[in-house]
Amino acid sequence: MGAPREETGKLAGCTVFITGASRGIGKAIALKAAKDGANIVIAAKTTQAHPKLPGTIYTAAEEIEAAGGKALPCAVDVRDEQQINNAVEKAVEQFGGIDILVNNASAISLTNTLETPMKRVDLMMNVNTRGTYLTSKACIPYLKKSKIAHILNLSPPLNLNPLWFKQHCAYTIAKYGMSMCVLGMAEEFKGEIAVNALWPKTAIHTAAMDMLGGSGIESQCRKVDIIADAAYSIFKKPKSFTGNFIIDENILREEGVKNFDVYAIKPGHPLLPDFFLDEHPDTIIKKVESRGAVPELKEEKPQPPPKPRSGAVEETFRIVKDSLTDDVVQATQAIYQFELSGEDGGTWFLDLKSKGGNVGYGEPSHQADVVMSMSTDDFVKMFSGKLKPTMAFMSGKLKIKGNMALAIKLEKLMNQMNARL
């Protein structure tokens, strides 16, 4: 990669306590600090490999040691006060103190009020807000004794635009709780501990993102490295640098980084903006849609005279019906129901469970696994590849009830169909 930096070893011998460090962003920050020879406390829940999520606290520890750091894996559920206190005690016993705390552990459910079970609400509030508060509280006595003394919360700027509350109120409250800890603690411990928040400008490719956006989303994401580099540049700053809500790209620009393509999974591909950042959200969404709308070179099919607009949904379903095969049905095994608003709207279904598959107007004969609500316009755009389902979902144009994994399967299917549409 680039030439070695002069300040190599800046974090040598420092102890960094990171929650949720067994994978994703937490692990990336750990590895970046480990390269300097830091001590890393991996405070995370996964002790046994999970079928869908790679990594445990032990595999992360091996990677950290291989990168040049010292690792202390601690099985910790941030909701459990005793487990947090034990991990902090172990860290201090083994490494002599704590210099940096990274509150990264988070639970997410992008569901609206009536669709979020209280169990999920409690999980988000307890992991995100309370877990951050509790871990900070446990580490502060030791951070106060450190020369470095940083708390970094992976949480967004406090943006009170209702758009960010409308679709996933509970998640937003839980994440903003983390940001409020920054607001309060930065002021409370001014001069003693730097307390800041860091949030990505774009979607970051992690296992969590794959689960939310489905595979295929990664081309619209940046690598975790951008967050790790941004976190590192925050840790180098003095204690007086506090109370800031930092966006990864902005701080790296200030550091002199000019080429952000190195962070892209697919350089040149449009990036998905992250939540909670207003760059006039509607224009962002239009930008992404219009970029997706560039027609790829397809063979010119003789075009029938344009039908009146109202038949577009029917026409879309006709094309979908023509492209159904037993293989598609075998591979999908799901029934989709579409609640379309606007001209030519109503209830439509796509049955990819019964032999040979079926589509039509009205309710499916068996209960749908996934119900998707959107306007007829967006529906047509989605099936013709002009509107990415992920983007439609994130911006609230598409509402999904039911099995998210099956909804993601449909996105894959659409990509195959777009070749035909």
Side-chain angles (χ1 to χ4, degrees):
M1 298 295 286
R5 298 188 173 168
E6 294 78 68
E7 72 267 352
T8 310
K10 187 90 189 166
L11 299 180
C14 273
T15 301
V16 190
F17 191 105
I18 309 179
T19 65
S22 58
R23 62 180 71 90
I25 287 171
K27 187 179 82 175
I29 293 173
L31 290 172
K32 177 81 178 174
K35 287 193 180 109
D36 271 7
N39 309 318
I40 313 287
V41 186
I42 306 161
K45 219 170 47 179
T46 311
T47 51
Q48 280 170 343
H50 183 286
K52 284 205 186 81
L53 297 168
T56 67
I57 57 176
Y58 307 111
T59 57
E62 281 168 23
E63 288 181 54
I64 285 160
E65 304 261 344
K70 290 199 175 77
L72 175 64
C74 297
V76 170
D77 179 336
V78 295
R79 294 172 291 179
D80 187 318
E81 191 173 355
Q82 197 52 58
Q83 289 180 21
I84 290 283
N85 289 337
N86 291 349
V88 168
E89 235 167 84
K90 261 206 245 165
V92 172
E93 197 179 300
Q94 182 146 343
F95 300 128
I98 294 173
D99 299 291
I100 297 170
L101 163 63
V102 180
N103 286 304
N104 163 72
S106 262
I108 182 170
S109 178
L110 298 175
T111 45
N112 63 30
T113 303
L114 296 178
E115 270 141 39
T116 316
M118 280 318 292
K119 205 174 123 180
R120 300 275 339 170
V121 176
D122 292 340
L123 179 73
M124 290 191 279
M125 301 295 174
N126 289 337
V127 170
N128 304 7
T129 304
R130 185 178 181 273
T132 294
Y133 187 92
L134 166 61
T135 311
S136 304
K137 186 176 159 75
C139 291
I140 285 166
Y142 301 101
L143 290 166
K144 279 180 155 189
K145 298 177 191 161
S146 165
K147 282 193 181 69
I148 296 176
H150 270 270
I151 295 178
L152 183 63
N153 294 354
L154 272 289
S155 69
L158 288 164
N159 180 349
L160 296 183
N161 179 340
L163 176 92
W164 300 115
F165 290 80
K166 185 176 137 187
Q167 304 295 343
H168 38 73
C169 189
Y171 174 65
T172 300
I173 292 171
K175 282 312 273 188
Y176 281 17
M178 294 174 73
S179 299
M180 285 171 157
C181 287
V182 171
L183 211 55
M185 292 177 192
E187 207 55 41
E188 186 177 355
F189 302 105
K190 213 172 218 156
E192 295 183 284
I193 304 170
V195 188
N196 295 290
L198 173 61
W199 194 245
K201 184 173 176 159
T202 71
I204 300 291
H205 187 234
T206 60
M209 197 65 201
D210 269 344
M211 284 179 114
L212 284 174
S215 58
I217 195 165
E218 66 265 23
S219 56
Q220 303 173 61
C221 295
R222 279 177 174 162
K223 302 172 186 165
V224 286
D225 308 18
I226 189 166
I227 290 279
D229 289 357
Y232 186 83
S233 63
I234 294 165
F235 302 153
K236 291 189 310 194
K237 294 196 180 288
K239 293 178 190 181
S240 55
F241 181 81
T242 191
N244 302 290
F245 292 90
I246 299 145
I247 302 298
D248 58 357
E249 184 178 306
N250 301 355
I251 193 166
L252 291 172
R253 276 190 198 285
E254 283 165 27
E255 295 271 309
V257 175
K258 289 189 176 65
N259 174 16
F260 287 88
D261 272 355
V262 294
Y263 294 119
I265 299 268
K266 200 171 173 185
H269 197 284
L271 294 161
L272 206 54
D274 203 5
F275 291 102
F276 310 119
L277 303 178
D278 279 347
E279 210 179 283
H280 308 297
D282 280 347
T283 58
I284 291 178
I285 288 149
K286 290 207 176 65
K287 230 190 291 180
V288 174
E289 279 175 20
S290 63
R291 281 198 206 161
V294 180
E296 289 178 23
L297 292 172
K298 291 187 184 163
E299 290 169 42
E300 282 298 310
K301 295 184 188 138
Q303 291 297 333
K307 278 182 154 183
R309 175 83 197 87
S310 71
V313 173
E314 210 167 330
E315 179 63 6
T316 302
F317 273 110
R318 195 188 58 70
I319 296 169
V320 169
K321 186 168 188 171
D322 290 347
S323 55
L324 289 185
T325 62
D326 284 336
D327 289 351
V328 168
V329 174
Q330 251 342 97
T332 315
Q333 288 299 299
I335 297 175
Y336 300 92
Q337 185 172 325
F338 301 91
E339 296 295 341
L340 305 180
S341 57
E343 228 184 320
D344 196 26
T347 302
W348 295 77
F349 70 89
L350 170 56
D351 175 350
L352 299 176
K353 220 178 221 172
S354 318
K355 186 157 171 53
N358 196 10
V359 306
Y361 185 75
E363 303 235 341
S365 49
H366 293 81
Q367 183 166 354
D369 300 286
V370 184
V371 179
M372 297 181 164
S373 316
M374 70 197 96
S375 74
T376 50
D377 266 2
D378 288 336
F379 172 81
V380 174
K381 274 189 202 160
M382 213 158 82
F383 268 89
S384 59
K386 294 195 178 99
L387 172 60
K388 287 259 181 292
T390 311
M391 199 63 212
F393 176 65
M394 282 171 125
S395 62
K397 292 184 170 187
L398 161 63
K399 297 208 172 47
I400 300 176
K401 278 187 195 163
N403 185 326
M404 206 56 183
L406 291 174
I408 288 162
K409 260 191 179 176
L410 184 64
E411 176 160 12
K412 282 192 188 150
L413 210 63
M414 281 181 196
N415 291 340
Q416 294 163 14
M417 283 180 187
N418 287 345
R420 301 199 181 95
L421 284 174

